[in-house]
């Protein structure tokens, strides 16, 4: 850690775990969040915009532009995931009404503006469908050379899907955009995208015990959650940030429990935010990656050509291993300290 603030542009479909990623970046002294792109995915794009503006309001963050993205995928009909994230995307949580407005330009233009404002320095993070990024690449094909780093949460490599038997949610919602993004990356670009699929992110399991440690780090009162609690029990945390995160996470815990995965929740997107700032948190392997677009049973599947049978050069660095304890130590330290400061203000 150098203490230097790195410019970060975040593209999200906020979502419970996207919200946790945002708060992690708010609490990271080495991150300067220079823009937020709103992507239709977990909920429709209008609600994503409201969630992003509301989180900035809750956390007292000013000066970060929020842009509205496309309301629909490139070709497919939009599907949303209120069953997973709640009717407004943040489970049982309620955010303050925003007092700021969206930018006059759209999310694809926001990507391009941010990259030109910070050439060779900007870190891009995409934790939703890649619609906005694909449109940005159409408008500015040199974008891969302008970015310092790109981290994508998406796909599943040699691993089951969470939307279809083989497809991960973000890619499944807009597989054409994912295919365009991977195809747009030149082999001689200064970096390859870091791609964190379900095979990696499902190792990052938030539990009620870890959530209690987060409240403790924030100096907040909190009542530990259990699977025996009444559905929708409101958080009693004294800290306003912790209260929102607990109300959001309870819905997420309940969803995972109903899926037979236990009373826990996978923090896919906060891992992507953490890796964006420190790639050494994960181990990666380079490989050519493509997305299946036409298969009757396999549409949205991400394929890594580990054995190089396609004869293509690698276009991605695929996350293959992570230390969950190291991630959660950092997450709890940063988010806890941020929430404590916000609660005292």
């Amino acid at each position: 850690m150098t203490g230097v603030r790195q410019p970060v542009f975040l593209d999200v479909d906020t979502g419970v775990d996207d919200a946790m990623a945002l708060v992690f970046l708010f609490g990271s002294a080495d991150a300067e969040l220079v823009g937020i792109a709103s992507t239709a995915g977990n909920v429709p794009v209008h609600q994503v915009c409201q969630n992003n503006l509301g989180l900035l309001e809750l956390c007292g963050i000013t000066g970060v532009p929020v842009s509205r993205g496309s309301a629909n995928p490139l070709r497919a009909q939009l599907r949303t995931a209120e069953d997973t994230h709640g009717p407004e995307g943040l489970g049982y949580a309620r955010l303050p009404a925003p007092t700021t407005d969206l930018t006059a330009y759209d999310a694809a233009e926001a990507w391009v503006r941010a990259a030109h404002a910070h050439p060779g320095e900007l870190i891009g993070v995409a934790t939703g469908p890649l619609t906005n990024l694909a449109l940005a690449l159409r408008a500015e094909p040199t974008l891969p050379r302008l970015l310092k780093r790109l981290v994508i949460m998406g796909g599943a490599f040699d691993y089951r899907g969470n939307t279809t038997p083989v497809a991960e949610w973000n890619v499944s919602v807009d597989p054409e955009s994912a295919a365009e993004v991977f195809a747009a990356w030149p082999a001689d670009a200064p970096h390859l995208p870091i791609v964190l699929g379900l095979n990696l992110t499902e190792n990052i399991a938030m539990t009620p015990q870890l959530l209690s440690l987060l409240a403790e780090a924030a100096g907040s009162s909190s009542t530990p959650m259990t699977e025996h609690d009444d559905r929708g029990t409101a958080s009693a945390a004294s800290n306003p940030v912790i209260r929102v995160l607990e109300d959001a996470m309870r819905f997420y815990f309940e969803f995972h429990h109903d899926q037979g995965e236990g009373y826990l929740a996978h923090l896919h997107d906060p891992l992507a935010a953490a890796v964006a700032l420190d790639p050494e948190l994960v181990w990666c392997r380079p490989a050519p990656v493509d997305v299946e677009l036409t298969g009757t049973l396999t549409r949205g599947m991400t394929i890594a050509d580990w054995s190089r049978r396609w004869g293509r050069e690698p276009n991605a660095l695929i996350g293959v291993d992570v230390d969950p304890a190291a991630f959660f130590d950092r997450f709890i330290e940063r988010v806890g300290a941020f929430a404590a400061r916000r609660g005292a203000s």
Side-chain angles (χ1 to χ4, degrees), residues 200-292:
L200 192 76
T201 62
E202 287 199 349
N203 291 289
I204 306 299
M206 174 65 88
T207 63
Q209 293 75 22
L210 288 168
L211 203 55
S212 293
L213 290 176
L214 178 61
E216 182 180 334
S220 175
S221 63
S222 179
T223 302
M225 299 180 192
T226 78
E227 62 191 86
H228 306 295
D229 296 341
D230 290 338
R231 291 287 172 113
T233 298
S235 168
S238 56
N239 182 284
V241 175
I242 297 300
R243 190 159 56 246
V244 163
L245 296 183
E246 287 189 347
D247 283 341
M249 288 303 305
R250 183 181 289 279
F251 191 99
Y252 215 28
F253 285 158
E254 291 172 359
F255 168 79
H256 284 78
H257 180 265
D258 291 347
Q259 296 294 304
E261 298 179 76
Y263 201 72
L264 50 78
H266 299 126
L267 294 193
H268 313 279
D269 299 343
L271 179 63
V275 169
L277 300 178
D278 182 8
E280 293 185 4
L281 280 172
V282 296
W283 290 264
C284 296
R285 287 181 61 191
V289 171
D290 210 335
V291 181
E292 176 59 53

Side-chain angles (χ1 to χ4, degrees), residues 156 159-168 172 198 296-299 301:
Y159 197 79
R160 66 183 182 277
N162 63 354
T163 305
T164 74
V166 296
E168 175 272 336
S172 181
L198 297 178
T296 302
L297 299 178
T298 56
R299 177 170 160 82
M301 183 179 183

Side-chain angles (χ1 to χ4, degrees), residues 87-112:
E88 296 180 354
L90 290 182
Y92 299 114
R94 294 294 176 265
L95 294 172
T99 58
T100 54
D101 296 321
L102 299 171
T103 63
Y105 48 88
D106 68 15
E109 185 175 344
W111 267 103
V112 176

Side-chain angles (χ1 to χ4, degrees), residues 24-251:
F24 175 84
L25 290 173
F26 296 161
S28 294
D30 52 341
E32 177 190 3
L33 192 59
V34 299
I36 300 172
S38 303
T39 298
N42 289 323
V43 287
V45 71
H46 170 74
Q47 187 61 56
V48 174
C49 292
Q50 292 302 110
N51 291 349
N52 290 333
L53 292 171
L55 281 166
L56 292 171
E57 194 78 26
L58 170 74
C59 294
I61 304 295
T62 59
V64 178
V66 178
S67 302
R68 177 189 174 104
S70 174
N72 296 291
L74 295 181
R75 296 181 191 173
Q77 184 175 353
L78 177 66
R79 290 173 293 131
T80 54
E82 288 85 355
D83 62 329
T84 308
H85 294 271
E88 296 180 354
L90 290 182
Y92 299 114
R94 294 294 176 265
L95 294 172
T99 58
T100 54
D101 296 321
L102 299 171
T103 63
Y105 48 88
D106 68 15
E109 185 175 344
W111 267 103
V112 176
R113 287 188 179 210
H116 280 288
H118 305 275
E121 298 179 352
L122 186 68
I123 298 171
V125 189
T127 64
L130 296 177
T131 315
N132 295 333
L133 182 53
L135 293 172
L137 284 160
R138 290 181 182 183
E140 178 52 277
T142 68
L143 193 60
R145 301 185 190 281
L146 290 169
L147 296 177
K148 175 183 178 180
R149 184 180 305 133
L150 174 65
V151 178
I152 295 170
M153 191 280 123
F157 298 94
D158 304 328
Y159 197 79
R160 66 183 182 277
N162 63 354
T163 305
T164 74
V166 296
E168 175 272 336
W169 169 257
N170 289 335
V171 175
S172 181
V173 167
D174 192 353
E176 279 78 15
S177 71
E180 282 197 23
V181 169
F182 289 127
W185 232 260
D188 61 347
H191 67 89
L192 296 177
I194 298 171
V195 183
L196 309 181
L198 297 178
N199 51 292
L200 192 76
T201 62
E202 287 199 349
N203 291 289
I204 306 299
M206 174 65 88
T207 63
Q209 293 75 22
L210 288 168
L211 203 55
S212 293
L213 290 176
L214 178 61
E216 182 180 334
S220 175
S221 63
S222 179
T223 302
M225 299 180 192
T226 78
E227 62 191 86
H228 306 295
D229 296 341
D230 290 338
R231 291 287 172 113
T233 298
S235 168
S238 56
N239 182 284
V241 175
I242 297 300
R243 190 159 56 246
V244 163
L245 296 183
E246 287 189 347
D247 283 341
M249 288 303 305
R250 183 181 289 279
F251 191 99

